[in-house]
Amino acid sequence: MAGRYSLKRQILPQRNHWIWLIVLSNVALSIQADDLNCIVYNDEFMECRWNHTEGKPNSTLFYWYGSRPKQECVNYIQENGYNIGCYFSKDKIIEFENFYVYRSGSNDSGNISSGVKNFQLQNQVKLDPPANLTLNMSENNELFLTWDPPAKLLKCRMYEIRHRSNKDKDWQVQVINAQTKYVLSSVDPEKFYTFQVRSKSNQYCANAKLWSNWSPAIQWGKEHTQSEGSTGLRTTITVLSLLALILLIVMATKNERLKVIIIPKIPNPGRSFDPLFNNHNGNFQDWLGVPKDALEGFKSAYRENVCIVSESPVNPSLSSVHGGSYEQCGMTQIPEKVPFFGTKREAQPKNTSPAMLFSDIAVFVESNSYSITKSG
């Protein structure tokens, strides 16, 4: 009898525990159980969060491990005066043991509760992204990517590396276990490469589904290696420059003096010549205001003797073959008109071709030669 009584005492607490779970699971749900999720961040702390809808009652969180007694959350995470999560310090996290959690609330119509959720916390770990990524080129034209190892349990880590060049549209993805380096072979020196890495617990230590965030990108190009931070800095400088330019344009439209400094007016020379035609009838010297005595000083006083050679009618007394020619010499003044001295026949200027001009010169020379011979 004593043995049977002690056996009953051992079974009753377990029965009560399962009855409690069944009762909680069958409560009419007014709060969605799927809203509640717990994440362990880098094995350092844990947060269990849920969504709060406007008008719904404030929630209270309860949790326990295995058959241990339930406890209420001590450190609530709040937003606009409502509880939206619970914070657990590292000493409250127990892995490889069932973790139970549920939340309840109350309003004027009574108490409402969510269903109980069960977690294995080693599967809920979200690691920090790998840090201090470094790229080095080997003599064999291979690019070595390395990063800092975790503080503990390297054998429990797996990493996903993605990379692409400026010629690629899609990422190339590789997964490695328990290593903190990756080698890219056959690197094209004309391309520009971008790398990122993320991590999670591998299948040997947990059944984790949560990857860390991607690390900051590190890049390697033809002449230099640069991080994502330098790219972001250039983008920031470009945006600030555009904003400054827009601000100057807005200020220039409201301030005429600033507008003249930034966008000077282009002078129009057409209006400057209006007095030349309206007041001086196009007389350029008059418009410039040049004195008349100065204009007289520019006139030339140079004079030159001008001899006019002209063809004459045929004169039998001079030659029996050729007609004669005569010349008139006189004084002329340049640039005035040339005076002609009178003869028996007035010399008339006419247009002659080069052939006629040479013919006149030949007649003149022959006439002079005949005169000299006759006088001799």
Side-chain angles (χ1 to χ4, degrees), residues 289-318:
V290 179
K292 292 184 178 180
D293 54 350
L295 291 176
E296 293 295 332
F298 284 104
K299 290 184 178 180
S300 175
Y302 174 74
R303 288 183 172 87
E304 180 182 5
N305 293 332
V306 178
C307 293
I308 300 174
V309 179
S310 179
E311 183 180 1
S312 62
V314 177
N315 189 349
S317 62
L318 296 178

Side-chain angles (χ1 to χ4, degrees), residues 84-251:
I84 61 167
C86 181
Y87 174 85
F88 295 84
S89 58
K90 186 174 183 178
D91 60 320
K92 299 293 184 181
I93 300 172
I94 303 176
E95 296 182 348
F96 300 98
E97 191 169 339
N98 288 326
F99 175 74
Y100 299 97
V101 62
Y102 82 98
R103 60 193 175 104
S104 65
S106 61
N107 56 16
D108 296 338
S109 60
N111 295 331
I112 54 176
S113 299
S114 70
V116 177
K117 298 199 73 172
N118 178 21
F119 297 100
Q120 287 280 323
L121 296 184
Q122 73 275 4
N123 299 333
Q124 298 300 116
V125 176
K126 183 175 182 179
L127 300 173
D128 289 340
N132 295 328
L133 273 65
T134 305
L135 286 169
N136 290 290
M137 177 63 73
S138 70
E139 296 179 356
N140 299 325
N141 201 31
E142 294 178 331
L143 200 56
F144 282 83
L145 172 65
T146 59
W147 55 91
D148 286 350
K152 61 179 181 178
L153 297 177
L154 174 59
K155 65 179 181 179
C156 289
R157 298 291 188 262
M158 64 185 302
Y159 297 94
E160 187 175 72
I161 301 99
R162 68 178 185 181
H163 62 86
R164 65 181 177 186
S165 71
N166 56 332
K167 306 294 184 181
D168 300 326
K169 182 179 180 181
D170 300 322
W171 291 96
Q172 305 295 320
V173 180
Q174 298 290 334
V175 178
I176 59 176
N177 264 307
Q179 298 183 54
T180 58
K181 68 177 181 179
Y182 173 75
V183 180
L184 179 63
S185 304
S186 302
V187 176
D188 187 346
E190 299 298 324
K191 292 182 179 180
F192 190 81
Y193 294 89
T194 301
F195 294 84
Q196 285 184 293
V197 184
R198 64 179 181 176
S199 64
K200 74 172 184 176
S201 299
N202 60 25
Q203 67 273 20
Y204 303 111
C205 299
N207 188 23
K209 301 293 191 297
L210 300 174
W211 284 98
S212 72
N213 296 331
W214 287 105
S215 68
I218 185 170
Q219 297 171 321
W220 183 90
K222 184 175 180 181
E223 298 179 352
H224 63 283
T225 301
Q226 62 180 6
S227 65
E228 193 177 48
S230 61
T231 304
L233 179 61
R234 290 199 302 271
T235 304
T236 303
I237 294 174
T238 303
V239 172
L240 291 177
S241 300
L242 289 175
L243 290 176
L245 180 60
I246 293 173
L247 181 61
L248 284 175
I249 293 174
V250 171
M251 293 177 61

Side-chain angles (χ1 to χ4, degrees), residues 317-343:
S317 62
L318 296 178
S319 174
S320 60
V321 181
H322 299 285
S325 64
Y326 66 95
E327 63 178 353
Q328 295 285 346
C329 295
M331 299 295 294
T332 185
Q333 182 177 356
I334 298 175
E336 296 176 357
K337 292 183 179 180
V338 178
F340 290 94
F341 297 109
T343 61

Side-chain angles (χ1 to χ4, degrees), residues 280-298:
H280 301 278
N281 296 323
N283 190 327
F284 193 75
Q285 288 83 2
D286 191 17
W287 177 64
L288 290 177
V290 179
K292 292 184 178 180
D293 54 350
L295 291 176
E296 293 295 332
F298 284 104

Side-chain angles (χ1 to χ4, degrees), residues 46-84:
M46 180 175 68
E47 290 183 352
C48 292
R49 286 179 173 263
W50 58 89
N51 296 323
H52 179 267
T53 305
E54 188 68 26
K56 296 292 183 178
N58 206 5
S59 297
T60 303
L61 184 78
F62 296 94
Y63 70 95
W64 67 93
Y65 286 95
S67 60
R68 301 178 190 183
K70 67 173 182 177
Q71 303 178 56
E72 183 182 351
C73 173
V74 178
N75 298 314
Y76 282 105
I77 302 171
Q78 292 191 330
E79 184 179 85
N80 298 326
Y82 291 95
N83 298 334
I84 61 167

